[in-house]
Amino acid sequence: MFASLTQSKTRTIGVDIGRRAVRLVQHDGSASTAAAQAPIRGEHRCRDEAFVEAAVDAVKRALDAGTFIGRAAAVALPTSVLKFTSVRMPEMPAAEMAEAIKWESDGSTEPGVETIRQYVKLGQVRQGEEARQEVLMMTADRRWIESFVDGLDGLGLDLDRLDFSGNGLLNVVPVGDEPRLVIDFGADSTRAMIVERGVLRFYKVIGAGQNDFDRLVAERLRVPLGDAAEARRQADRDAASSRGVQEAIRTPTEELARELSLCIRYFGVSFRGARPEQGLAVGGGAAFPQLLDELGRASGVTLEALDPFDTVGLDAVSVEQPWAWSTAVGLAHHGPARHAKPDAQREAA
């Protein structure tokens, strides 16, 4: 997306740069899979130079810990360093589209900041009597990108491409005839995607991330921030201890539910297709069944945590919370995701 720097390699290391940790995965569809992660040291905003240094250091530690072959890599940038805007544009040739995207994004970028721009066509929509193209625009600070790439080059990584997490996730969403909702629970934000027949149709940052949820729980229960996630997991296991946790996160949960309902409604009206009935949860928030249940009830979509290793048919990999590895697995995967099972098969499996 933001850079295509070399020819695609057979054994690509998928590198997911998160707010709290980096995750690396490599496979070729038949051999054993390599996976390693490393926490990002310190508390830095992703846009800060200190975060670049900490993230590159985490990638180095994960590379040293894993059994990776070669250094070809596809890297997903942190979502918070990207700005997303959806616009509707007339149908036009690719060269004209690039110029139109530059013109559209000029008014939304910071003065004096040199910006890198990319876009994804989401599909044709009707606007009155006119057919238009729904386009997802992405912009990033060129200086940040160049500093980050320089750091990765210093590790000897042979960059295939820089990407955003949504493209990685596309490769692990089971392909089916019906649209499917994907909720990506990141540390800094939560994102909603709708995928139809393997194609991205909708993408939006919809609300608070897991850092915000943990902070609210820590304040409500008066526990250290580092203990908040465990308190949430305990609340999922023990209904008696869940009241304080659920009260703490009620407002952001309701806001996410409201945004999800609006996203699904917008998708149905704009693309005039079937609404998603099934959904997948990825990222750290997929670890909390009560959160998935509440969002599922509010949006009318059945949500389940995704195991990306199983989806792309990889050998079993011993990692905790496999759904948190979805972006890295997708970036490393070169083949199509498996076809989704019909409901009857899913229930019997």
Side-chain angles (χ1 to χ4, degrees), residues 37-345:
Q37 66 177 331
I40 294 177
R41 294 167 174 158
E43 285 294 328
H44 313 289
R45 294 188 314 128
C46 290
R47 294 175 182 268
D48 294 343
E49 184 63 30
F51 177 85
V52 173
E53 296 177 4
V56 170
D57 174 67
V59 173
K60 180 182 185 303
R61 286 183 281 117
L63 285 170
D64 292 342
T67 56
F68 301 103
I69 299 173
R71 285 296 183 263
V75 181
L77 298 168
T79 301
S80 57
V81 306
L82 306 175
K83 182 172 183 178
F84 298 91
T85 309
S86 291
V87 296
R88 292 183 176 182
M89 308 184 73
E91 293 285 354
M92 62 184 74
E96 294 181 18
M97 178 69 77
E99 283 299 312
I101 290 296
K102 182 179 183 303
W103 183 84
E104 285 280 353
S105 64
D106 275 345
S108 63
T109 56
E110 297 180 43
V113 175
E114 189 176 357
T115 301
I116 295 177
R117 303 169 177 86
Q118 288 291 338
Y119 68 91
V120 176
K121 290 184 177 181
L122 300 178
Q124 191 178 82
V125 298
R126 301 294 301 182
Q127 186 166 308
E129 297 300 318
E130 184 180 4
R132 299 180 75 86
Q133 186 69 230
E134 184 103 338
V135 177
L136 177 68
M137 297 193 308
M138 292 166 284
T139 59
D141 183 343
R142 181 179 294 276
R143 291 171 300 180
W144 193 100
I145 298 295
E146 290 176 348
S147 174
F148 185 58
V149 169
D150 287 345
L152 295 179
D153 283 344
L155 300 180
L157 285 180
D158 184 8
L159 291 182
D160 175 15
R161 67 188 186 277
L162 294 180
D163 218 323
F164 84 110
S165 62
N167 266 349
L169 293 174
L170 279 178
N171 292 336
V172 295
V173 175
V175 178
D177 293 331
E178 300 300 323
R180 188 179 293 262
L181 174 70
V182 181
I183 306 179
D184 184 5
F185 293 97
D188 283 341
S189 65
T190 300
R191 287 82 71 173
M193 299 170 51
I194 296 178
V195 179
E196 189 172 30
R197 296 183 178 89
V199 177
L200 182 65
R201 292 300 190 197
F202 179 90
Y203 184 92
K204 186 180 180 183
V205 177
I206 61 170
Q210 295 307 293
N211 282 348
D212 299 296
F213 279 71
D214 288 351
R215 177 180 53 79
L216 291 170
V217 170
E219 291 174 356
R220 177 63 180 255
L221 301 185
R222 298 181 181 179
V223 299
L225 182 60
D227 295 339
E230 178 56 36
R232 294 173 64 194
R233 285 189 286 269
Q234 178 62 32
D236 271 319
R237 296 189 294 265
D238 178 12
S241 65
S242 68
R243 183 172 180 179
V245 170
Q246 297 309 315
E247 286 297 324
I249 64 176
R250 181 177 305 281
T251 296
T253 301
E254 290 177 348
E255 291 173 352
L256 289 181
R258 183 164 52 251
E259 282 293 322
L260 274 180
S261 297
L262 291 174
C263 291
I264 293 169
R265 187 183 309 167
Y266 177 85
F267 174 80
V269 171
S270 298
F271 294 94
R272 301 185 180 182
R275 73 185 304 280
E277 301 292 341
Q278 299 291 329
L280 298 170
V282 300
F288 304 108
Q290 287 192 45
L291 177 60
L292 302 193
D293 288 345
E294 289 190 34
L295 294 181
R297 285 195 300 270
S299 63
V301 176
T302 302
L303 292 172
E304 61 180 353
L306 173 69
D307 183 341
F309 298 99
D310 179 67
T311 300
V312 299
L314 295 180
D315 293 338
V317 178
S318 297
V319 299
E320 293 183 0
Q321 302 188 2
W323 45 82
W325 294 75
S326 299
T327 294
V329 172
L331 290 169
H333 185 58
H334 295 284
R338 290 178 172 178
H339 284 274
K341 297 177 182 179
D343 288 341
Q345 284 184 264

